[in-house]
């Protein structure tokens, strides 16, 4: 029996690169014996709604776009009434953090071939305040204000989170977020420049800043809170700690947890998977262990 597949793509993601590859991608799916229904998104929430309202006959949903498109499909899968089905991902955004974690090819036709030949991987999914889902990151602070359109060659040249902090050398540009963090592992309260809760080996295009030993299916987030530097010397020490993965630095709180609460007196703007996540005074983040099945290349499955 031929497999029925729902293919959702964002036609403008990544400078509309899908337009040149679409015919070849559909050919790859057809040769695999798939009957593919194609839906190009027209606006926000389309991918989420179509995934949530999909017909039960679909045995696979494949999405093509940036991390935001993947977020919508994952959210629709989690919010729907049907049993979840595996998700394939063709990364066409400007950053593609989660694809980096699974070593999914950036070439769209190669990524399509990897979906056809790949294997299922059960991944954790984050839930914010019991209703909003994220695939790999929820964050606030400087991180949320840095454009995901930053050229990759600039990120590569400066390395890791250094670009974010180097670009904000003037302390007057840094906003203080006074928050209280509560989890089973620890509770603390302080002034922070950045807070991020992740399940990824790459965030904002920067590799290896989320932790030394990241497992996408262990039921645990990697939580990192970076203190507000008091002066330029401390700012440089923070940059050095991040680039060297010194997570024991006195400027950082870094730990693993399955659930935490972040609260503040003021409303804080959050991001989920690179998209706006709303303004909140309190956020509860929970890890839904192995709740989403992704089709990953065999090389991605072997990544530690």
């Amino acid at each position: 029996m031929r497999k029925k597949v729902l293919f959702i793509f964002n036609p403008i993601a990544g400078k509309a690169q899908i337009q040149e590859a679409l015919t070849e991608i559909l050919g790859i799916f057809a040769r695999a014996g798939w009957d593919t229904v194609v839906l190009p998104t027209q606006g926000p929430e389309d991918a989420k709604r179509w995934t949530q309202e999909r017909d039960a006959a679909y045995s696979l949903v494949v999405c093509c776009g940036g991390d935001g498109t993947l977020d919508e499909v994952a959210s629709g899968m989690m919010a729907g009434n049907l049993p979840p089905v595996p998700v394939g991902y063709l990364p066409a955004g400007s950053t593609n953090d989660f694809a980096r974690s699974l070593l999914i090819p950036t070439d769209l036709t190669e990524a399509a071939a990897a979906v056809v030949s790949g294997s299922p991987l059960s991944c954790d999914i984050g839930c914010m305040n019991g209703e909003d889902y994220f695939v790999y990151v929820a964050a606030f602070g400087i991180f949320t204000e840095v454009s995901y359109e930053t050229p990759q060659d600039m990120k590569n040249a400066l390395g890791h989170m250094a670009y974010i902090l180097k670009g904000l050398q003037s302390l007057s540009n840094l906003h203080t977020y006074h928050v209280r963090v509560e989890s089973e592992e620890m509770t603390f309260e302080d002034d922070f420049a950045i807070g991020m809760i992740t399940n990824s080996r790459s965030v904002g295009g920067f590799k290896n800043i989320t932790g030394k030993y990241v497992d996408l299916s262990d039921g645990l987030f990697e939580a990192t809170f970076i203190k507000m530097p008091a002066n330029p010397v401390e700012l440089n020490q923070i940059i050095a700690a991040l680039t060297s993965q010194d997570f024991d630095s006195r400027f950082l709180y870094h730990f693993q947890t399955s659930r935490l609460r972040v609260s503040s007196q003021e409303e804080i703007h959050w991001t989920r998977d690179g998209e706006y996540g709303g303004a909140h005074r309190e956020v509860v983040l929970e890890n839904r262990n192995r709740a989403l099945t992704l089709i990953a290349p065999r090389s991605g499955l072997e990544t530690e």
Side-chain angles (χ1 to χ4, degrees):
M1 180 181 295
R2 293 175 67 87
K3 179 183 292 188
K4 189 172 182 181
V5 177
L6 179 61
F7 180 44
I8 300 171
F9 72 91
N10 181 346
I12 62 174
K15 299 181 180 179
Q17 57 178 300
I18 181 64
Q19 296 181 17
E20 297 181 2
L22 183 58
T23 300
E24 190 171 353
I25 289 170
L26 296 179
I28 291 171
F29 293 167
R31 289 190 291 275
W34 296 0
D35 289 332
T36 306
V37 174
V38 182
L39 294 176
T41 59
Q42 304 299 307
E45 301 294 306
D46 280 353
K48 178 181 179 179
R49 184 177 69 257
W50 292 336
T51 301
Q52 187 172 349
E53 298 175 355
R54 73 189 186 281
D55 189 275
Y58 291 113
S59 57
L60 176 68
V61 175
V62 179
C63 63
C64 179
D67 290 326
T69 303
L70 176 62
D71 176 274
E72 284 196 23
V73 168
S75 296
M77 195 68 69
M78 295 294 293
N81 294 321
L82 293 173
V85 299
V87 174
Y89 179 37
L90 315 185
S94 58
T95 306
N96 306 315
D97 280 311
F98 203 67
R100 290 170 180 267
S101 292
L102 294 178
L103 302 183
I104 297 175
T106 55
D107 180 272
L108 294 183
T109 56
E110 292 180 8
V115 170
V116 169
S117 63
S119 299
L121 173 67
S122 296
C123 292
D124 299 341
I125 289 292
C127 184
M128 176 187 286
N129 288 342
E131 58 184 5
D132 295 320
Y133 296 93
F134 59 97
V135 176
Y136 73 97
V137 63
F140 70 86
I142 299 171
F143 174 86
T144 67
E145 299 164 4
V146 174
S147 171
Y148 268 56
E149 297 298 322
T150 301
Q152 189 61 48
D153 56 354
M154 182 180 296
K155 293 176 181 177
N156 292 340
L158 292 175
H160 306 313
M161 191 65 83
Y163 168 71
I164 295 177
L165 297 177
K166 280 289 189 181
L168 295 166
Q169 287 288 349
S170 173
L171 294 182
S172 63
N173 291 335
L174 299 181
H175 181 75
T176 299
Y177 301 88
H178 188 86
V179 303
R180 177 178 174 83
V181 178
E182 302 168 82
S183 72
E184 183 178 335
E185 292 76 14
M186 62 174 64
T187 296
F188 53 88
E189 186 172 348
D190 213 326
D191 294 332
F192 297 101
I194 303 171
M196 58 183 180
I197 294 83
T198 62
N199 188 47
S200 178
R201 301 180 183 99
S202 172
V203 174
F206 306 97
K207 295 181 180 179
N208 304 320
I209 63 168
T210 59
K212 296 180 180 179
Y213 309 104
V214 178
D215 185 335
L216 305 182
S217 307
D218 62 358
L220 297 173
F221 296 124
E222 282 69 42
T224 306
F225 293 83
I226 302 174
K227 290 184 181 182
M228 189 70 183
N231 52 60
V233 173
E234 289 190 357
L235 178 59
N236 288 329
Q237 290 174 333
I238 292 172
I239 293 171
L242 288 169
T243 54
S244 65
Q245 290 190 294
D246 177 17
F247 295 112
D248 293 325
S249 167
R250 65 185 179 91
F251 299 105
L252 308 177
Y253 288 92
H254 180 79
F255 60 102
Q256 291 183 309
T257 186
S258 61
R259 186 182 187 276
L260 71 160
R261 182 190 306 271
V262 182
S263 56
S264 62
Q265 293 298 314
E266 65 174 318
E267 285 194 336
I268 294 179
H269 294 274
W270 284 74
T271 181
R272 291 183 290 108
D273 294 337
E275 303 296 325
Y276 183 61
H280 308 276
R281 285 190 173 89
E282 180 175 286
V283 167
V284 175
L285 303 122
E286 299 172 294
N287 187 297
R288 303 290 171 86
N289 186 217
R290 298 174 178 258
L292 181 70
T293 299
L294 286 164
I295 304 300
R298 298 187 187 280
S299 55
L301 294 173
E302 296 167 358
T303 300
E304 297 181 355

